[in-house]
C-alpha cells in the first residue's frame, strides 16, 4: 500500500508542476504580445523587456504584471475592437447593398441577358 501512495504523490506533484508551467507559458506569451502591441513603448524599451524576459523570466514577468498589468486588458480590448471594425468594414465593402444588386439585375434585363421571371427572382432574393 505505501508504494501506491508514493506513486500517487508523484503523479499529483507532476500534474501540479505541469499546470504551473503551462500557466507560466500562457502568461509569458501574453506579456510578449502586450509588449509588441503597445504603441506607447519605444523600440528600445521593448527590447529591454524582451531581454529581461529571456535572462530573468520569472522576476521580469512578475514585475511586468505588477507595473503594466492594468493596461494589458485595455490594450487587448482596443486591439479586439480594431480587428472587429476592420472585419465589419471589409464585409460591408464586399457585400454590397440590395439596391446595387437590383440595379445590376435591371441592367442584365435591359441588355436582354435575363428574362422578366429571372429579374423578379433576383429582385426578390436581393430584398430578402
Amino acid at each position: 500500500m505505501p508504494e501506491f501512495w508514493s506513486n500517487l504523490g508523484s503523479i499529483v506533484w507532476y500534474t501540479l508542476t505541469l499546470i504551473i508551467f503551462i500557466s507560466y507559458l500562457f502568461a509569458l506569451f501574453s506579456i510578449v504580445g502586450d509588449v509588441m502591441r503597445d504603441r506607447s513603448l519605444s523600440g528600445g524599451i521593448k527590447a529591454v523587456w524582451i531581454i529581461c524576459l529571456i535572462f530573468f523570466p520569472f522576476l521580469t514577468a512578475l514585475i511586468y504584471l505588477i507595473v503594466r498589468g492594468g493596461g494589458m486588458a485595455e490594450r487587448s480590448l482596443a486591439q479586439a475592437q480594431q480587428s472587429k471594425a476592420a472585419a465589419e468594414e471589409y464585409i460591408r465593402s464586399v457585400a454590397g447593398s440590395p439596391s446595387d444588386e437590383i440595379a445590376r439585375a435591371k441592367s442584365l434585363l435591359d441588355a436582354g441577358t435575363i428574362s422578366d421571371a429571372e429579374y423578379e427572382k433576383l429582385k426578390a432574393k436581393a430584398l430578402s
Side-chain angles (χ1 to χ4, degrees), residues 1-115:
M1 195 70 146
E3 185 177 329
F4 171 76
W5 292 110
S6 173
N7 289 337
L8 181 63
S10 296
I11 291 171
V12 169
W13 180 252
Y14 176 74
T15 305
L16 182 65
T17 304
L18 191 63
I19 289 171
I20 290 171
F21 179 70
I22 291 172
S23 299
Y24 172 71
L25 286 180
F26 272 105
L28 191 65
F29 290 140
S30 177
I31 289 169
V32 170
D34 186 61
V35 166
M36 294 303 163
R37 181 176 31 243
D38 192 0
R39 296 178 187 261
S40 66
L41 292 178
S42 68
I45 299 296
K46 289 179 182 183
V48 168
W49 276 115
I50 297 299
I51 289 170
C52 288
L53 278 170
I54 291 170
F55 291 111
F56 310 105
F58 185 74
L59 182 63
T60 304
L62 189 62
I63 291 171
Y64 189 86
L65 291 174
I66 291 170
V67 173
R68 298 186 44 87
M72 288 177 73
E74 295 168 4
R75 286 184 289 277
S76 179
L77 179 63
Q79 178 70 29
Q81 289 174 344
Q82 184 181 10
S83 296
K84 182 180 177 187
E88 288 174 353
E89 178 62 32
Y90 174 75
I91 290 170
R92 269 190 243 107
S93 71
V94 172
S97 67
S99 60
D100 292 338
E101 293 180 33
I102 293 172
R104 210 174 5 252
K106 180 66 175 163
S107 67
L108 290 173
L109 177 65
D110 293 341
T113 308
I114 60 172
S115 66

